[in-house]
Amino acid sequence: MYSPVNSLEKSQLLMDLIAARQEAVSANIANMDTPNYVRKDIEFSQYLNTMNSNLETKLSQKLGPSGVMEPQSQTLTAEDELALMQKNSILYAVAARQMSNTITELKTVINVGK
C-alpha cells in the first residue's frame, strides 16, 4: 500500500545509497595509480528488493546481487569510473525529484486537513 511517509523513507535510502556509491567511485578515481588498490562499488539491489515495488524489483535485478561495498577484480579505467559517476548523478537527480514530489504531496495533505 502506498504511503507518502514510506515513499519519503525510500527516497532517503536511495539518496544515501547514491551518496555512498559516489564516495566509492571518487575513491576509485583518486586511487587509480595507487599500487595494489582494489576497486570498490555499491550495488543497490539488496536494498531495492526490500521496497516492495515492481520498479524497484526490476531495478534490483538489473543492478546486481549485493548491496555492500565490495572489491571488484576488474581493471580501473578513468572512462569507466567517470561513466559510472555520470550514471550516479542521473540517479541522484531522479531520487531528488522523487523526494521533492513526496514532500509536495505531504504539504498538500497537511493543507487540505486545515
Side-chain angles (χ1 to χ4, degrees):
M1 175 189 227
Y2 175 75
S3 164
V5 175
N6 288 342
S7 183
L8 193 62
E9 291 171 357
K10 289 179 186 181
S11 297
Q12 180 182 359
L13 173 62
L14 187 56
M15 291 183 88
D16 289 344
L17 288 170
I18 291 168
R21 177 179 256 180
Q22 194 72 7
E23 289 177 19
V25 172
S26 297
N28 292 341
I29 292 171
N31 291 300
M32 287 184 76
D33 295 328
T34 303
N36 299 321
Y37 178 77
V38 179
R39 181 181 180 273
K40 295 182 171 83
D41 195 7
I42 303 288
E43 295 296 337
F44 296 163
S45 64
Q46 178 181 355
Y47 299 104
L48 291 175
N49 271 335
T50 64
M51 292 188 178
N52 301 324
S53 165
N54 290 336
L55 175 61
E56 283 98 3
T57 302
K58 288 177 185 175
L59 280 173
S60 68
Q61 291 169 349
K62 185 175 181 178
L63 290 173
S66 173
V68 296
M69 289 183 93
E70 54 185 42
Q72 304 290 321
S73 60
Q74 59 186 325
T75 307
L76 281 171
T77 64
E79 295 84 13
D80 291 340
E81 294 302 313
L82 291 173
L84 184 57
M85 188 174 277
Q86 185 64 28
K87 287 179 187 178
N88 208 43
S89 69
I90 292 169
L91 282 174
Y92 177 82
V94 169
R97 184 175 297 246
Q98 180 182 0
M99 175 90 63
S100 177
N101 289 342
T102 302
I103 291 170
T104 301
E105 288 176 13
L106 288 170
K107 286 180 180 179
T108 301
V109 169
I110 290 169
N111 289 330
V112 169
K114 287 185 177 181

